[in-house]
Amino acid sequence: TALHYGYPLCDPGTVVSTARLSRVVDYPARDMTVTVEAGIRMEQLNELLDRERQRLPIDIPQLHRATLGGVLATNSNGPRRYGYGTLRDYVIGVSAIDGRGNLFHAGGRVVKNVAGYDLCKLMIGSLGTLAVITQVTLKLRPVPETSSWLWCSYPTWQQLDEALERLTTTATRPVAMIALNARAARQIVNEIHLDVPVESPTLALAIEGTQKETEWQSSVLKDELSFTGASAMYDIPGHHGESVWTALTDYPVVTDEPLTFRANMLPSRAAGFMERADATGISLMSHIGNGIVIGHFPDDWI
């Protein structure tokens, strides 16, 4: 799903498929770790973990196609990055084959292991340039009881930026913080058939936990944001909330537009960047708590 990442090859190479490296090597659910081969599809891995009410809290587009090894090589992540971090926080062991055909190991199968230089983190995001990943050990998290979104519309980007500043002192713990311009918000809403405002800048906040925790956090967030100029605030719970997760995760790759970009910046500058880019007519989504902006250019830009 990410063959276009990185620079093109300078010389002819040999294609090596890891599709058959899909075994589950070890899954001691009580230890909340799992060891699998790197060719396993992310959809298959999620189904395995869900039987034990566990998960790898990393949002991956096109789960039915993406493999764990590819996800590690490209350091893929999505909306939950704000609350749960990236793959670097969950990989505790790796086996791989270097360019000379030598098998090597790094890390281990337990969470508390200190074994010299952390090669695991070096492999993540290396785009396959250092080695072919063959086996991975991950630490896991429990699946929360409930999850919901708070969808907030703002008349201007400045007011949305003021809301973000207010959230730096919030008593709650959102696990995702997403900003959308009107064009991107319409795309998301039309895809999942959701009845919420989409004609102005949108701030979407995700909260997870027990039923009591999510209800409390939703109530507190509404109180805290009530003085920031929001024109509307809507709760999106249950299966609609799951649809929002999927649509936002797939947003960077599921598009008919001819060109997509990703920009990384300080979180404090993301809203200003989106305001300027919004004036050009492109579709914009931001993991605004992390300073990541993703945009789709329309046909008339090419």
Side-chain angles (χ1 to χ4, degrees), residues 234-283:
Y234 293 85
D235 282 309
I236 307 175
H239 72 279
H240 283 301
E242 287 301 316
S243 298
V244 174
W245 279 116
T246 302
L248 292 176
T249 299
D250 287 346
Y251 175 86
V253 296
V254 180
T255 178
D256 294 327
E257 307 293 12
L259 181 64
T260 295
F261 76 87
R262 172 179 169 137
N264 294 353
M265 63 200 71
L266 293 173
S268 59
R269 297 186 177 180
F273 178 91
M274 291 188 74
E275 181 176 18
R276 292 190 295 275
D278 190 19
T280 66
I282 62 180
S283 176

Side-chain angles (χ1 to χ4, degrees), residues 5-65:
Y5 281 33
Y7 294 108
L9 295 175
C10 298
D11 300 307
T14 300
V15 176
V16 179
S17 173
T18 61
R20 295 178 65 183
L21 293 176
S22 58
R23 291 186 309 121
V24 178
V25 178
D26 189 24
Y27 184 19
R30 288 187 178 183
D31 295 338
M32 299 195 71
T33 63
V34 65
T35 302
V36 293
E37 291 182 331
I40 192 171
R41 304 281 177 173
M42 294 304 299
E43 184 177 60
Q44 182 184 349
L45 177 61
N46 285 355
E47 290 172 356
L48 170 71
L49 302 180
D50 193 53
R51 295 173 201 153
E52 300 289 341
R53 297 293 295 163
Q54 295 176 356
R55 66 176 180 173
L56 176 66
I58 306 294
D59 304 300
I60 307 299
Q62 299 181 324
L63 291 172
H64 63 291
R65 296 181 59 212

Side-chain angles (χ1 to χ4, degrees), residues 93-122:
V94 163
S95 297
I97 299 173
D98 66 18
R100 295 180 178 178
N102 299 316
L103 177 65
F104 67 90
H105 310 277
R109 293 192 185 182
V110 294
V111 174
K112 294 183 179 179
N113 67 75
V114 180
Y117 190 71
D118 193 352
L119 284 175
C120 297
K121 289 185 172 59
L122 189 64

Side-chain angles (χ1 to χ4, degrees), residues 285-301:
M285 180 189 81
S286 173
H287 301 172
I288 202 158
N290 300 105
I292 299 169
V293 179
I294 300 161
H296 299 310
F297 287 91
D299 289 328
D300 54 15
W301 273 71

Side-chain angles (χ1 to χ4, degrees), residues 3 11-12 29 59 77 157 167 169 198 202 210 279 283 288-289 296 299:
L3 291 175
D11 300 307
D59 304 300
N77 54 75
W157 284 106
L167 288 171
T169 59
V198 293
T202 296
T210 65
S283 176
I288 202 158
H296 299 310
D299 289 328

